[in-house]
Amino acid sequence: MELAYYSDYAVRLVNTEEPARGTDALTSVEAVRELFGGNQSAARRATDADVTRFRSVRARLRSVFEAADGGDETLAVDLLNSLLLEFPVSPQISGHDFRDDDGRPLWHMHLADHPSNATAGYAATAAMGLAFHLTEYGVDRLGLCEAAPCRNAYLDTSTNRSRRYCSDRCATRANVAAYRARKRLEAERPENTGRAEVSAQTTAASGERRPEPRGR
């Protein structure tokens, strides 16, 4: 399993909450277990106590994305480093589930399951994956969706660093909103222009003269 894969752990956890909408999907141990995806052995270690612990880690991971999105690279790195120190990883060389044509293992780096509790294991994996993505691609590749009020986290993997939304759905919604705003402005311009012309004609018809500039 490539280390880049683990960065999705951070995004997955951060996006269980949408602060601007006041929604939070992380309300039960079942929701915690779902975050582990196919890693069922780690998911089974989750208990009710992990709900609160996961929320705490989520807030800290969101702070990393907020700092990166705001252009504060140093703060983003410092926040991520604090997570790495608190939740260290246990790397292993693994060859499970991957075989070459001769049936030999395809050795690769793997992050071993953390033995203490579900939160520590998930946090270590998420922080390491995010750190790998940050150092490999740059801090500006960590973003928050611009389609208000979404603000979901995302990892920009575009070739020209142009991603601004967490999903195609948000991108479409933002584009439609921008299009409607342009149409409203276009509709208002003729109306405002017409009012100005009527005002000018009324002034001329009444015989009013504009005051001449001083100094002549």
Side-chain angles (χ1 to χ4, degrees), residues 174-207:
N175 289 334
V176 169
Y179 172 79
R180 289 174 176 172
R182 288 195 301 270
K183 286 298 182 181
R184 283 196 298 269
L185 286 175
E186 291 172 1
E188 291 171 357
R189 283 171 186 165
E191 182 180 349
N192 292 335
T193 302
R195 289 176 181 173
E197 291 176 352
V198 169
S199 177
Q201 292 172 0
T202 302
T203 300
S206 63

PDB file of all heavy atoms in Angstrom, residues 174-207:
ATOM      1  N   ALA A 174     -21.233  26.135  -7.582  1.00  0.00           N
ATOM      2  CA  ALA A 174     -20.566  27.438  -7.565  1.00  0.00           C
ATOM      3  C   ALA A 174     -20.624  28.103  -8.934  1.00  0.00           C
ATOM      4  O   ALA A 174     -20.829  29.317  -9.034  1.00  0.00           O
ATOM      5  CB  ALA A 174     -19.130  27.267  -7.112  1.00  0.00           C
ATOM      6  N   ASN A 175     -20.445  27.316  -9.981  1.00  0.00           N
ATOM      7  CA  ASN A 175     -20.492  27.870 -11.338  1.00  0.00           C
ATOM      8  C   ASN A 175     -21.888  28.375 -11.689  1.00  0.00           C
ATOM      9  O   ASN A 175     -22.034  29.425 -12.325  1.00  0.00           O
ATOM     10  CB  ASN A 175     -20.048  26.813 -12.349  1.00  0.00           C
ATOM     11  CG  ASN A 175     -18.566  26.512 -12.265  1.00  0.00           C
ATOM     12  OD1 ASN A 175     -17.784  27.355 -11.836  1.00  0.00           O
ATOM     13  ND2 ASN A 175     -18.175  25.315 -12.658  1.00  0.00           N
ATOM     14  N   VAL A 176     -22.902  27.643 -11.269  1.00  0.00           N
ATOM     15  CA  VAL A 176     -24.288  28.070 -11.519  1.00  0.00           C
ATOM     16  C   VAL A 176     -24.582  29.365 -10.764  1.00  0.00           C
ATOM     17  O   VAL A 176     -25.197  30.295 -11.299  1.00  0.00           O
ATOM     18  CB  VAL A 176     -25.282  26.964 -11.093  1.00  0.00           C
ATOM     19  CG1 VAL A 176     -26.715  27.495 -11.102  1.00  0.00           C
ATOM     20  CG2 VAL A 176     -25.157  25.764 -12.021  1.00  0.00           C
ATOM     21  N   ALA A 177     -24.122  29.449  -9.520  1.00  0.00           N
ATOM     22  CA  ALA A 177     -24.340  30.661  -8.721  1.00  0.00           C
ATOM     23  C   ALA A 177     -23.640  31.861  -9.356  1.00  0.00           C
ATOM     24  O   ALA A 177     -24.194  32.967  -9.402  1.00  0.00           O
ATOM     25  CB  ALA A 177     -23.842  30.443  -7.296  1.00  0.00           C
ATOM     26  N   ALA A 178     -22.406  31.651  -9.841  1.00  0.00           N
ATOM     27  CA  ALA A 178     -21.666  32.736 -10.487  1.00  0.00           C
ATOM     28  C   ALA A 178     -22.351  33.175 -11.773  1.00  0.00           C
ATOM     29  O   ALA A 178     -22.430  34.372 -12.080  1.00  0.00           O
ATOM     30  CB  ALA A 178     -20.237  32.291 -10.772  1.00  0.00           C
ATOM     31  N   TYR A 179     -22.873  32.213 -12.540  1.00  0.00           N
ATOM     32  CA  TYR A 179     -23.579  32.520 -13.781  1.00  0.00           C
ATOM     33  C   TYR A 179     -24.834  33.349 -13.508  1.00  0.00           C
ATOM     34  O   TYR A 179     -25.099  34.358 -14.184  1.00  0.00           O
ATOM     35  CB  TYR A 179     -23.947  31.221 -14.494  1.00  0.00           C
ATOM     36  CG  TYR A 179     -24.836  31.408 -15.697  1.00  0.00           C
ATOM     37  CD1 TYR A 179     -24.302  31.820 -16.912  1.00  0.00           C
ATOM     38  CD2 TYR A 179     -26.215  31.174 -15.614  1.00  0.00           C
ATOM     39  CE1 TYR A 179     -25.124  31.995 -18.019  1.00  0.00           C
ATOM     40  CE2 TYR A 179     -27.035  31.340 -16.722  1.00  0.00           C
ATOM     41  CZ  TYR A 179     -26.485  31.758 -17.915  1.00  0.00           C
ATOM     42  OH  TYR A 179     -27.286  31.940 -19.014  1.00  0.00           O
ATOM     43  N   ARG A 180     -25.595  32.961 -12.490  1.00  0.00           N
ATOM     44  CA  ARG A 180     -26.813  33.696 -12.152  1.00  0.00           C
ATOM     45  C   ARG A 180     -26.495  35.104 -11.665  1.00  0.00           C
ATOM     46  O   ARG A 180     -27.228  36.052 -11.967  1.00  0.00           O
ATOM     47  CB  ARG A 180     -27.591  32.931 -11.089  1.00  0.00           C
ATOM     48  CG  ARG A 180     -28.232  31.646 -11.615  1.00  0.00           C
ATOM     49  CD  ARG A 180     -28.879  30.848 -10.511  1.00  0.00           C
ATOM     50  NE  ARG A 180     -29.562  29.665 -11.045  1.00  0.00           N
ATOM     51  CZ  ARG A 180     -30.083  28.712 -10.295  1.00  0.00           C
ATOM     52  NH1 ARG A 180     -30.013  28.796  -8.963  1.00  0.00           N
ATOM     53  NH2 ARG A 180     -30.671  27.667 -10.844  1.00  0.00           N
ATOM     54  N   ALA A 181     -25.383  35.241 -10.940  1.00  0.00           N
ATOM     55  CA  ALA A 181     -24.982  36.566 -10.459  1.00  0.00           C
ATOM     56  C   ALA A 181     -24.627  37.478 -11.629  1.00  0.00           C
ATOM     57  O   ALA A 181     -24.985  38.658 -11.637  1.00  0.00           O
ATOM     58  CB  ALA A 181     -23.801  36.434  -9.506  1.00  0.00           C
ATOM     59  N   ARG A 182     -23.927  36.923 -12.632  1.00  0.00           N
ATOM     60  CA  ARG A 182     -23.587  37.715 -13.814  1.00  0.00           C
ATOM     61  C   ARG A 182     -24.831  38.145 -14.569  1.00  0.00           C
ATOM     62  O   ARG A 182     -24.930  39.287 -15.047  1.00  0.00           O
ATOM     63  CB  ARG A 182     -22.660  36.918 -14.735  1.00  0.00           C
ATOM     64  CG  ARG A 182     -21.246  36.746 -14.217  1.00  0.00           C
ATOM     65  CD  ARG A 182     -20.315  36.280 -15.330  1.00  0.00           C
ATOM     66  NE  ARG A 182     -20.743  35.011 -15.899  1.00  0.00           N
ATOM     67  CZ  ARG A 182     -20.356  33.819 -15.455  1.00  0.00           C
ATOM     68  NH1 ARG A 182     -19.535  33.739 -14.415  1.00  0.00           N
ATOM     69  NH2 ARG A 182     -20.773  32.714 -16.041  1.00  0.00           N
ATOM     70  N   LYS A 183     -25.794  37.237 -14.668  1.00  0.00           N
ATOM     71  CA  LYS A 183     -27.031  37.558 -15.373  1.00  0.00           C
ATOM     72  C   LYS A 183     -27.811  38.658 -14.654  1.00  0.00           C
ATOM     73  O   LYS A 183     -28.411  39.530 -15.292  1.00  0.00           O
ATOM     74  CB  LYS A 183     -27.897  36.300 -15.514  1.00  0.00           C
ATOM     75  CG  LYS A 183     -27.389  35.310 -16.535  1.00  0.00           C
ATOM     76  CD  LYS A 183     -27.360  35.927 -17.929  1.00  0.00           C
ATOM     77  CE  LYS A 183     -26.913  34.946 -18.971  1.00  0.00           C
ATOM     78  NZ  LYS A 183     -26.859  35.571 -20.327  1.00  0.00           N
ATOM     79  N   ARG A 184     -27.790  38.633 -13.334  1.00  0.00           N
ATOM     80  CA  ARG A 184     -28.484  39.685 -12.576  1.00  0.00           C
ATOM     81  C   ARG A 184     -27.828  41.041 -12.823  1.00  0.00           C
ATOM     82  O   ARG A 184     -28.521  42.055 -13.002  1.00  0.00           O
ATOM     83  CB  ARG A 184     -28.466  39.353 -11.081  1.00  0.00           C
ATOM     84  CG  ARG A 184     -29.477  38.289 -10.673  1.00  0.00           C
ATOM     85  CD  ARG A 184     -29.681  38.282  -9.167  1.00  0.00           C
ATOM     86  NE  ARG A 184     -28.455  37.964  -8.459  1.00  0.00           N
ATOM     87  CZ  ARG A 184     -28.086  36.727  -8.126  1.00  0.00           C
ATOM     88  NH1 ARG A 184     -28.858  35.688  -8.452  1.00  0.00           N
ATOM     89  NH2 ARG A 184     -26.956  36.510  -7.465  1.00  0.00           N
ATOM     90  N   LEU A 185     -26.498  41.065 -12.848  1.00  0.00           N
ATOM     91  CA  LEU A 185     -25.789  42.323 -13.107  1.00  0.00           C
ATOM     92  C   LEU A 185     -26.082  42.840 -14.510  1.00  0.00           C
ATOM     93  O   LEU A 185     -26.269  44.044 -14.716  1.00  0.00           O
ATOM     94  CB  LEU A 185     -24.283  42.111 -12.934  1.00  0.00           C
ATOM     95  CG  LEU A 185     -23.779  41.967 -11.501  1.00  0.00           C
ATOM     96  CD1 LEU A 185     -22.288  41.635 -11.489  1.00  0.00           C
ATOM     97  CD2 LEU A 185     -24.036  43.237 -10.705  1.00  0.00           C
ATOM     98  N   GLU A 186     -26.103  41.934 -15.477  1.00  0.00           N
ATOM     99  CA  GLU A 186     -26.392  42.334 -16.853  1.00  0.00           C
ATOM    100  C   GLU A 186     -27.807  42.890 -16.977  1.00  0.00           C
ATOM    101  O   GLU A 186     -28.056  43.821 -17.743  1.00  0.00           O
ATOM    102  CB  GLU A 186     -26.211  41.140 -17.792  1.00  0.00           C
ATOM    103  CG  GLU A 186     -24.759  40.704 -17.940  1.00  0.00           C
ATOM    104  CD  GLU A 186     -24.631  39.403 -18.715  1.00  0.00           C
ATOM    105  OE1 GLU A 186     -25.686  38.876 -19.140  1.00  0.00           O
ATOM    106  OE2 GLU A 186     -23.500  38.926 -18.883  1.00  0.00           O
ATOM    107  N   ALA A 187     -28.743  42.313 -16.220  1.00  0.00           N
ATOM    108  CA  ALA A 187     -30.133  42.782 -16.270  1.00  0.00           C
ATOM    109  C   ALA A 187     -30.287  44.139 -15.608  1.00  0.00           C
ATOM    110  O   ALA A 187     -31.130  44.951 -16.011  1.00  0.00           O
ATOM    111  CB  ALA A 187     -31.045  41.767 -15.589  1.00  0.00           C
ATOM    112  N   GLU A 188     -29.473  44.432 -14.610  1.00  0.00           N
ATOM    113  CA  GLU A 188     -29.561  45.693 -13.886  1.00  0.00           C
ATOM    114  C   GLU A 188     -28.908  46.839 -14.644  1.00  0.00           C
ATOM    115  O   GLU A 188     -29.312  47.991 -14.509  1.00  0.00           O
ATOM    116  CB  GLU A 188     -28.910  45.549 -12.515  1.00  0.00           C
ATOM    117  CG  GLU A 188     -29.694  44.638 -11.563  1.00  0.00           C
ATOM    118  CD  GLU A 188     -28.919  44.351 -10.294  1.00  0.00           C
ATOM    119  OE1 GLU A 188     -27.760  44.827 -10.204  1.00  0.00           O
ATOM    120  OE2 GLU A 188     -29.443  43.655  -9.419  1.00  0.00           O
ATOM    121  N   ARG A 189     -27.905  46.559 -15.449  1.00  0.00           N
ATOM    122  CA  ARG A 189     -27.171  47.619 -16.135  1.00  0.00           C
ATOM    123  C   ARG A 189     -28.040  48.443 -17.084  1.00  0.00           C
ATOM    124  O   ARG A 189     -28.011  49.663 -17.031  1.00  0.00           O
ATOM    125  CB  ARG A 189     -25.986  47.010 -16.896  1.00  0.00           C
ATOM    126  CG  ARG A 189     -24.820  46.654 -15.993  1.00  0.00           C
ATOM    127  CD  ARG A 189     -23.773  45.870 -16.732  1.00  0.00           C
ATOM    128  NE  ARG A 189     -22.720  45.413 -15.837  1.00  0.00           N
ATOM    129  CZ  ARG A 189     -21.832  44.480 -16.145  1.00  0.00           C
ATOM    130  NH1 ARG A 189     -21.880  43.930 -17.350  1.00  0.00           N
ATOM    131  NH2 ARG A 189     -20.912  44.119 -15.277  1.00  0.00           N
ATOM    132  N   PRO A 190     -28.837  47.842 -17.981  1.00  0.00           N
ATOM    133  CA  PRO A 190     -29.699  48.655 -18.856  1.00  0.00           C
ATOM    134  C   PRO A 190     -30.686  49.509 -18.069  1.00  0.00           C
ATOM    135  O   PRO A 190     -30.965  50.647 -18.423  1.00  0.00           O
ATOM    136  CB  PRO A 190     -30.431  47.614 -19.704  1.00  0.00           C
ATOM    137  CG  PRO A 190     -29.544  46.417 -19.672  1.00  0.00           C
ATOM    138  CD  PRO A 190     -28.937  46.417 -18.306  1.00  0.00           C
ATOM    139  N   GLU A 191     -31.190  48.954 -16.983  1.00  0.00           N
ATOM    140  CA  GLU A 191     -32.146  49.695 -16.161  1.00  0.00           C
ATOM    141  C   GLU A 191     -31.486  50.920 -15.561  1.00  0.00           C
ATOM    142  O   GLU A 191     -32.032  52.027 -15.591  1.00  0.00           O
ATOM    143  CB  GLU A 191     -32.695  48.784 -15.055  1.00  0.00           C
ATOM    144  CG  GLU A 191     -33.732  49.469 -14.175  1.00  0.00           C
ATOM    145  CD  GLU A 191     -34.250  48.548 -13.091  1.00  0.00           C
ATOM    146  OE1 GLU A 191     -33.953  47.341 -13.164  1.00  0.00           O
ATOM    147  OE2 GLU A 191     -34.950  49.044 -12.187  1.00  0.00           O
ATOM    148  N   ASN A 192     -30.274  50.756 -15.031  1.00  0.00           N
ATOM    149  CA  ASN A 192     -29.573  51.880 -14.434  1.00  0.00           C
ATOM    150  C   ASN A 192     -29.177  52.906 -15.487  1.00  0.00           C
ATOM    151  O   ASN A 192     -29.235  54.113 -15.255  1.00  0.00           O
ATOM    152  CB  ASN A 192     -28.317  51.386 -13.709  1.00  0.00           C
ATOM    153  CG  ASN A 192     -28.660  50.564 -12.474  1.00  0.00           C
ATOM    154  OD1 ASN A 192     -29.726  50.724 -11.898  1.00  0.00           O
ATOM    155  ND2 ASN A 192     -27.750  49.684 -12.064  1.00  0.00           N
ATOM    156  N   THR A 193     -28.769  52.404 -16.676  1.00  0.00           N
ATOM    157  CA  THR A 193     -28.403  53.309 -17.771  1.00  0.00           C
ATOM    158  C   THR A 193     -29.610  54.114 -18.215  1.00  0.00           C
ATOM    159  O   THR A 193     -29.522  55.319 -18.461  1.00  0.00           O
ATOM    160  CB  THR A 193     -27.845  52.501 -18.959  1.00  0.00           C
ATOM    161  OG1 THR A 193     -26.719  51.746 -18.519  1.00  0.00           O
ATOM    162  CG2 THR A 193     -27.440  53.427 -20.091  1.00  0.00           C
ATOM    163  N   GLY A 194     -30.767  53.460 -18.297  1.00  0.00           N
ATOM    164  CA  GLY A 194     -31.988  54.150 -18.698  1.00  0.00           C
ATOM    165  C   GLY A 194     -32.366  55.231 -17.710  1.00  0.00           C
ATOM    166  O   GLY A 194     -32.802  56.323 -18.096  1.00  0.00           O
ATOM    167  N   ARG A 195     -32.209  54.976 -16.430  1.00  0.00           N
ATOM    168  CA  ARG A 195     -32.523  55.972 -15.412  1.00  0.00           C
ATOM    169  C   ARG A 195     -31.626  57.189 -15.542  1.00  0.00           C
ATOM    170  O   ARG A 195     -32.065  58.330 -15.396  1.00  0.00           O
ATOM    171  CB  ARG A 195     -32.370  55.361 -14.024  1.00  0.00           C
ATOM    172  CG  ARG A 195     -33.459  54.349 -13.666  1.00  0.00           C
ATOM    173  CD  ARG A 195     -33.175  53.724 -12.330  1.00  0.00           C
ATOM    174  NE  ARG A 195     -34.195  52.743 -11.976  1.00  0.00           N
ATOM    175  CZ  ARG A 195     -34.124  51.943 -10.924  1.00  0.00           C
ATOM    176  NH1 ARG A 195     -33.055  52.011 -10.122  1.00  0.00           N
ATOM    177  NH2 ARG A 195     -35.084  51.077 -10.669  1.00  0.00           N
ATOM    178  N   ALA A 196     -30.348  56.948 -15.835  1.00  0.00           N
ATOM    179  CA  ALA A 196     -29.405  58.067 -15.974  1.00  0.00           C
ATOM    180  C   ALA A 196     -29.763  58.930 -17.171  1.00  0.00           C
ATOM    181  O   ALA A 196     -29.694  60.161 -17.115  1.00  0.00           O
ATOM    182  CB  ALA A 196     -27.977  57.518 -16.123  1.00  0.00           C
ATOM    183  N   GLU A 197     -30.182  58.308 -18.293  1.00  0.00           N
ATOM    184  CA  GLU A 197     -30.547  59.060 -19.493  1.00  0.00           C
ATOM    185  C   GLU A 197     -31.804  59.890 -19.242  1.00  0.00           C
ATOM    186  O   GLU A 197     -31.898  61.045 -19.654  1.00  0.00           O
ATOM    187  CB  GLU A 197     -30.768  58.091 -20.650  1.00  0.00           C
ATOM    188  CG  GLU A 197     -29.482  57.426 -21.131  1.00  0.00           C
ATOM    189  CD  GLU A 197     -29.757  56.400 -22.216  1.00  0.00           C
ATOM    190  OE1 GLU A 197     -30.947  56.123 -22.452  1.00  0.00           O
ATOM    191  OE2 GLU A 197     -28.790  55.899 -22.813  1.00  0.00           O
ATOM    192  N   VAL A 198     -32.799  59.291 -18.559  1.00  0.00           N
ATOM    193  CA  VAL A 198     -34.029  60.022 -18.250  1.00  0.00           C
ATOM    194  C   VAL A 198     -33.723  61.209 -17.369  1.00  0.00           C
ATOM    195  O   VAL A 198     -34.246  62.317 -17.559  1.00  0.00           O
ATOM    196  CB  VAL A 198     -35.051  59.082 -17.562  1.00  0.00           C
ATOM    197  CG1 VAL A 198     -36.202  59.891 -17.005  1.00  0.00           C
ATOM    198  CG2 VAL A 198     -35.538  58.033 -18.539  1.00  0.00           C
ATOM    199  N   SER A 199     -32.848  61.051 -16.397  1.00  0.00           N
ATOM    200  CA  SER A 199     -32.480  62.144 -15.494  1.00  0.00           C
ATOM    201  C   SER A 199     -31.806  63.266 -16.249  1.00  0.00           C
ATOM    202  O   SER A 199     -32.079  64.452 -16.018  1.00  0.00           O
ATOM    203  CB  SER A 199     -31.560  61.606 -14.392  1.00  0.00           C
ATOM    204  OG  SER A 199     -31.133  62.650 -13.549  1.00  0.00           O
ATOM    205  N   ALA A 200     -30.919  62.912 -17.192  1.00  0.00           N
ATOM    206  CA  ALA A 200     -30.221  63.928 -17.969  1.00  0.00           C
ATOM    207  C   ALA A 200     -31.185  64.695 -18.854  1.00  0.00           C
ATOM    208  O   ALA A 200     -31.100  65.919 -19.001  1.00  0.00           O
ATOM    209  CB  ALA A 200     -29.129  63.266 -18.820  1.00  0.00           C
ATOM    210  N   GLN A 201     -32.144  63.972 -19.471  1.00  0.00           N
ATOM    211  CA  GLN A 201     -33.116  64.621 -20.335  1.00  0.00           C
ATOM    212  C   GLN A 201     -34.017  65.556 -19.538  1.00  0.00           C
ATOM    213  O   GLN A 201     -34.371  66.652 -19.987  1.00  0.00           O
ATOM    214  CB  GLN A 201     -33.960  63.553 -21.048  1.00  0.00           C
ATOM    215  CG  GLN A 201     -33.168  62.736 -22.057  1.00  0.00           C
ATOM    216  CD  GLN A 201     -33.957  61.569 -22.601  1.00  0.00           C
ATOM    217  OE1 GLN A 201     -35.112  61.374 -22.221  1.00  0.00           O
ATOM    218  NE2 GLN A 201     -33.334  60.797 -23.490  1.00  0.00           N
ATOM    219  N   THR A 202     -34.393  65.147 -18.343  1.00  0.00           N
ATOM    220  CA  THR A 202     -35.254  65.976 -17.495  1.00  0.00           C
ATOM    221  C   THR A 202     -34.545  67.263 -17.105  1.00  0.00           C
ATOM    222  O   THR A 202     -35.126  68.357 -17.112  1.00  0.00           O
ATOM    223  CB  THR A 202     -35.653  65.198 -16.226  1.00  0.00           C
ATOM    224  OG1 THR A 202     -36.327  63.996 -16.616  1.00  0.00           O
ATOM    225  CG2 THR A 202     -36.553  66.036 -15.340  1.00  0.00           C
ATOM    226  N   THR A 203     -33.265  67.162 -16.779  1.00  0.00           N
ATOM    227  CA  THR A 203     -32.478  68.339 -16.401  1.00  0.00           C
ATOM    228  C   THR A 203     -32.372  69.314 -17.559  1.00  0.00           C
ATOM    229  O   THR A 203     -32.511  70.529 -17.403  1.00  0.00           O
ATOM    230  CB  THR A 203     -31.073  67.907 -15.945  1.00  0.00           C
ATOM    231  OG1 THR A 203     -31.206  67.034 -14.833  1.00  0.00           O
ATOM    232  CG2 THR A 203     -30.231  69.109 -15.564  1.00  0.00           C
ATOM    233  N   ALA A 204     -32.135  68.768 -18.760  1.00  0.00           N
ATOM    234  CA  ALA A 204     -31.998  69.631 -19.930  1.00  0.00           C
ATOM    235  C   ALA A 204     -33.315  70.322 -20.254  1.00  0.00           C
ATOM    236  O   ALA A 204     -33.356  71.501 -20.610  1.00  0.00           O
ATOM    237  CB  ALA A 204     -31.528  68.807 -21.124  1.00  0.00           C
ATOM    238  N   ALA A 205     -34.416  69.572 -20.127  1.00  0.00           N
ATOM    239  CA  ALA A 205     -35.724  70.133 -20.461  1.00  0.00           C
ATOM    240  C   ALA A 205     -36.130  71.227 -19.490  1.00  0.00           C
ATOM    241  O   ALA A 205     -36.830  72.179 -19.853  1.00  0.00           O
ATOM    242  CB  ALA A 205     -36.781  69.024 -20.461  1.00  0.00           C
ATOM    243  N   SER A 206     -35.701  71.189 -18.274  1.00  0.00           N
ATOM    244  CA  SER A 206     -36.081  72.188 -17.285  1.00  0.00           C
ATOM    245  C   SER A 206     -35.256  73.451 -17.389  1.00  0.00           C
ATOM    246  O   SER A 206     -35.518  74.430 -16.693  1.00  0.00           O
ATOM    247  CB  SER A 206     -35.931  71.602 -15.867  1.00  0.00           C
ATOM    248  OG  SER A 206     -34.572  71.290 -15.614  1.00  0.00           O
ATOM    249  N   GLY A 207     -34.227  73.423 -18.251  1.00  0.00           N
ATOM    250  CA  GLY A 207     -33.418  74.614 -18.440  1.00  0.00           C
ATOM    251  C   GLY A 207     -32.377  74.828 -17.369  1.00  0.00           C
ATOM    252  O   GLY A 207     -31.766  75.895 -17.317  1.00  0.00           O
TER     253      GLY A 207
END
